[in-house]
Amino acid sequence: MAIFFNENKKIFTMSTNHSSYQMQVNPLGILLHVYYGSKICEQDEMGYLISYRDRGFSGNPYDALTDRTLSLDLLPQEYPTYGVGDYRVPTMELVHADGSYAADFRYESYCIKKGKYQVDGMPALYAAEDEAETLIITLKEYASDVRLLLYYSVFEENDVITRAAKIVNDGESAIVLNRVLSACLDFQYEDFDLIHFHGRHCMERQMERVNLMHGIHRLSSARGASSHHHNPFFILCDKDATEHYGKCYGISLVYSGNFTAEIEVDQVNQTRAVIGIGDYQFHYNVKPKESFMMPEVVMSYSENGLQSLSHQYHKIYRHHLCRGKYQLTRRPILINNWEATYFDFNEEKLLHIAEQASELGIEMLVMDDGWFGKRDSDYSGLGDWIVNTKKLKGGLKPFVEKVNALGLKFGIWFEPEMVNEDSDLYRVHPEWVLQCPNRKPGRSRYQLVLDMGRKEVIDYLFDAICSILDSANIEYVKWDMNRSMSDVYSNILDKESQGQAYHRYMLGLYDLLERIVQRYPNLLLEGCSGGGGRFDPGMLYYSPQIWCSDDTDAIERLKIQYGTSFCYPISTVGAHVSAVPNHQTGRVVPYHTRGVVASAAGGFGYELDLSKVTEEERRLTKIQVENAKKYFDLVNNGTYYRLTNPFQNQTYTAWEFVSEDQSEALVSAVITKVYANGATLIVKPEGLQKDALYQIDGKEQVYSGAALMNGGICIPLPNVLDPNGAEMQSVNSGKEYGAVQYHIVKCSK
Ligand code: DGJ
């Protein structure tokens, strides 16, 4: 049993295999958060950790009577609110009909059941009845008929606990929520580092580790998408935590829109972390008998460092978030025409690329932006999801048939949420865009944002997408979204309700995505937002892979893919081999290295004009494609190890996949800087069986797992690395950016 309630002491204890989470209802009915960390015993009462002291300027609830040591400003709480004496970052700011800002929730009841709760209209983890257990605690606001339902599901085997919450207005008048976050974690100490993932377009999820200090650290997005700039995931860990050592807490929000995460160290060095829907322009009226559900938060704890924490997230997201035909199966290796042609393509050009691709074993052609409406540049066409017959003369169906005849599947690009002013859709329905009255909306990439909170917009998009998908044999869709939102004002909402517009957009988007995945269960969806601007668990519920970044430079990708791996399974990463000089950086990286980096992904493919590659590169493509097929299981179902940190190690970046039974591993390393007469580079594999014997790349020599993990493998010096990854036939290049791969296989000798 994962959830235990001590009726006498009113203590809730939730346990996973290696962690425990405890709450206690205090005598005033306040739900305290008393523990989250390494596993304790069922009978342990962690409330002893709370120190009660009378501290100046930290007042007391009225019903604490003469007890001046009981203060909401100091107590660790499960769902702290604004207005009644807690001055730290709150989860909720609630305004009653009389204008009072006060939310004081007290315990009312609980229930425990098998299986997983659901989150109304939003993505969430799923589980069979025997895979999770759920606790629902109901709190009631002290002076009104507003209830707060706190949901918890425990995934015992996965060391994961999820949370969500719902506000129910059982009163007679409407309430307003100005801020309503999904979860809070209170700790009674401050000895944490914060690890978070910031970035920008073409440079997402850059890992940054900082010491917490007094005050508030804020990570957020007000861009209408989870964004390139901050990811809705962060880690609090011991200051000395490493990949293999130390206590770490992961906090991940299953939401793809605006978010707020705040981490505060308070006056007495306690730490509070909160996360949920973004609070800018958030203002939600909840009418009598209505409710508001908050998105889910997925928490995981590891006492053995960051590596284990990532493994826990990889497993839970792969097995309990991603869905559909391609959740676990191998995805077709694709060629995407974007960097090969941009908007300048026609049927002949695409078929030429497809022919080359098919000869090399590639399995799918993806036709990117530019196939519809008047779309010869990014100034026009978005919204008109009708085939451009100037480019595809006979229409889509015969074209797809030709692609299929070459032995390739076919995929297509959409950007459903956007519209250009120069489009038929905008000419007919200018009122469908988000736009403030009497103002011209800000443009970005010359496009405006459709109001996804309008049912008729969702219906239009559903019909438009279905009519394309039904018109030909289309097996993949890349779902793009290419701007940050501004001027978020919805014509269908009254002025009191404009604070709902961002969230209603997300609910509409999720509704549309759900309708698409239900109607096309065999379709592979790849999420995208100018690369990884919406790389979050919310989107992974619909699309099991996401285009990781518009930056296809293999060397920059090392950091982007490294940062992404902290929370997201490798199977969810989309990565392509592209042309050199690279279109984003101008850097020239050997073809082999580009393949090694791109193949550390579940969505492996190419994005270049294959008719322009050399014979040697064609040969390498064949090998890369074969390897991607051969190593599919290892890469996607294996355990992923970060062997170096590219933000610290300037010389090389290495990573590894190990099969579940530890019989096989694939170690990859990319040289990022060369030095004259450089030091020997040693990469140390992990996750092997110490006493098992292994061979590398089928060579004669046999090593024990212990030897390889402790001694390591010497990487050939950079100036003797062949840029194309072949055996070191010659001391030829002296070039940076060489790559090596070692296939380690258990043997019986
Ligand atoms: C941004 C995407 O990330 C690119 O891969 C490409 O699809 C363009 N949009 C097309 O406009």
Side-chain angles (χ1 to χ4, degrees), residues 5 48 178 474:
F5 183 52
Y48 76 86
N178 281 337
I474 299 173

Short mmCIF file of all heavy atoms in Angstrom, two decimals, residues 5 48 178 474:
data_model
loop_
_atom_site.label_atom_id
_atom_site.label_comp_id
_atom_site.label_asym_id
_atom_site.label_seq_id
_atom_site.Cartn_x
_atom_site.Cartn_y
_atom_site.Cartn_z
N PHE A 5 -2.91 6.27 6.08
CA PHE A 5 -3.46 7.37 6.89
C PHE A 5 -3.54 6.95 8.34
O PHE A 5 -4.19 5.95 8.67
CB PHE A 5 -4.85 7.76 6.37
CG PHE A 5 -5.45 8.94 7.11
CD1 PHE A 5 -4.73 10.13 7.27
CD2 PHE A 5 -6.72 8.86 7.65
CE1 PHE A 5 -5.27 11.21 7.95
CE2 PHE A 5 -7.28 9.95 8.33
CZ PHE A 5 -6.54 11.12 8.48
N TYR A 48 7.89 16.21 14.17
CA TYR A 48 8.84 16.62 15.22
C TYR A 48 9.88 17.60 14.69
O TYR A 48 10.55 18.28 15.44
CB TYR A 48 9.52 15.38 15.84
CG TYR A 48 10.60 14.77 14.98
CD1 TYR A 48 11.92 15.25 15.03
CD2 TYR A 48 10.32 13.72 14.12
CE1 TYR A 48 12.91 14.70 14.23
CE2 TYR A 48 11.30 13.17 13.32
CZ TYR A 48 12.59 13.66 13.38
OH TYR A 48 13.57 13.13 12.59
N ASN A 178 -6.63 35.07 -8.67
CA ASN A 178 -5.60 35.88 -9.34
C ASN A 178 -4.33 35.09 -9.56
O ASN A 178 -3.47 35.47 -10.36
CB ASN A 178 -5.25 37.11 -8.50
CG ASN A 178 -6.30 38.18 -8.65
OD1 ASN A 178 -7.02 38.21 -9.63
ND2 ASN A 178 -6.39 39.05 -7.67
N ILE A 474 -1.00 9.93 -45.30
CA ILE A 474 -0.10 10.75 -44.49
C ILE A 474 0.09 10.07 -43.13
O ILE A 474 -0.88 9.80 -42.43
CB ILE A 474 -0.67 12.17 -44.31
CG1 ILE A 474 -0.81 12.82 -45.69
CG2 ILE A 474 0.22 13.01 -43.39
CD1 ILE A 474 -1.51 14.15 -45.70
#
